[in-house]
Amino acid sequence: ALTMLMNRKEMLEKLFFDQGILVTSTVYRFGPNYDPNIKPLPYDPAAAVKLLEEAGWKDHDGDGIRDKDGVKFEFDYLMRAGSKQGKSIGLIMKQDFGRVGIEVNIRQLEGATMFKLLNERNYDSMSFGWVGPPEDDPYQVWHSSQMEKGSNVIGFQNKRIDEIVEQVRREFDPEKRKELLYEFQEIINEEQPYTFLYTLADLVVLSRRFIDVKEYPLGLDMMEWGVKPNVKIMEW
């Protein structure tokens, strides 16, 4: 429900001029193991409201905030002070959630304080990003053994996921690894433990004196470049 309340496409368009693509998991988006058949959940407030009400989250006392068993649907969103992107995400989320009776409190914290709370597992919600290798290894983020000290900071537990990420580490056949990671993504998409946002394009500026520059999904390989002779370099 909360994923369907977040207009991720609008975030991409307004914050990054649509220079990116929505994603559905932590698997490398442009690698062979990413499942393109899994589509991001749509921005659908009506469907989200239906799910919330089916789960018992209604405005029972008429104060404009949904509640269940006397508990209001209210939570803190932590963001690093000075992060324009984090603040923008929080404001869009606060607006979209507020329309359907969910209160989001934005808290701006210094990076050290924010990550201390993250490591202590003492937070409601926050946004952050991953930079991982193209050779997918979901163990550190997803295995239940990583809940206390590893990167499984949301405390996600799923027996089949544990089995898959262990098998991925032992499997050297690319097709079998792909099959395992496809199943991994199907389970994650069904469980929705995270609201996955997007992967962004890297924008680069190159001098016209360089030649043989090729673009790859992972970036540029400077070892391939050459230099045009007799090209005047701008002096500052």
Side-chain angles (χ1 to χ4, degrees), residues 52-53 55-60 66-68 71-73:
L52 290 168
E53 297 196 341
W57 290 100
K58 301 179 181 180
D59 184 9
H60 294 92
R66 294 180 182 274
D67 57 88
K68 180 180 179 180
V71 178
K72 293 189 180 298
F73 205 141

Side-chain angles (χ1 to χ4, degrees), residues 101-229:
I102 299 174
E103 184 68 27
V104 178
N105 304 309
I106 300 175
R107 294 180 59 199
Q108 299 185 58
L109 303 172
E110 292 299 323
T113 302
M114 183 171 132
F115 283 103
K116 180 176 183 292
L117 294 175
L118 177 70
N119 290 327
E120 293 173 348
R121 283 39 170 175
N122 183 21
Y123 67 99
D124 293 334
S125 70
M126 66 174 67
S127 62
F128 53 89
W130 286 284
V131 178
E135 190 63 45
D136 299 292
D137 180 7
Y139 188 95
Q140 184 176 338
V141 173
W142 294 103
H143 197 277
S144 60
S145 67
Q146 303 300 297
M147 287 168 45
E148 292 187 14
K149 298 295 183 181
S151 298
N152 186 355
V153 295
I154 62 172
F156 180 75
Q157 289 182 282
N158 182 291
K159 183 179 179 181
R160 180 55 185 154
I161 289 293
D162 281 355
E163 293 171 348
I164 290 172
V165 299
E166 289 170 10
Q167 286 179 281
V168 165
R169 283 191 156 187
R170 297 192 299 264
E171 183 57 67
F172 291 95
D173 184 299
E175 288 305 314
K176 291 181 179 178
R177 281 175 57 85
K178 180 177 180 178
E179 184 178 335
L180 287 166
L181 287 165
Y182 266 42
E183 183 184 354
F184 163 81
Q185 291 167 87
E186 289 173 1
I187 296 171
I188 295 299
N189 185 63
E190 177 66 26
E191 295 279 349
Q192 288 290 307
Y194 282 88
T195 291
F196 296 102
L197 299 178
Y198 36 69
T199 183
L200 299 175
D202 279 334
L203 305 180
V204 297
V205 178
L206 291 170
S207 169
R208 63 178 180 271
R209 70 193 183 100
F210 293 114
I211 58 174
D212 299 324
V213 178
K214 298 177 183 177
E215 294 182 39
Y216 301 102
L218 284 174
L220 305 176
D221 183 358
M222 290 186 290
M223 299 301 292
E224 299 177 337
W225 299 5
V227 179
K228 290 181 182 178

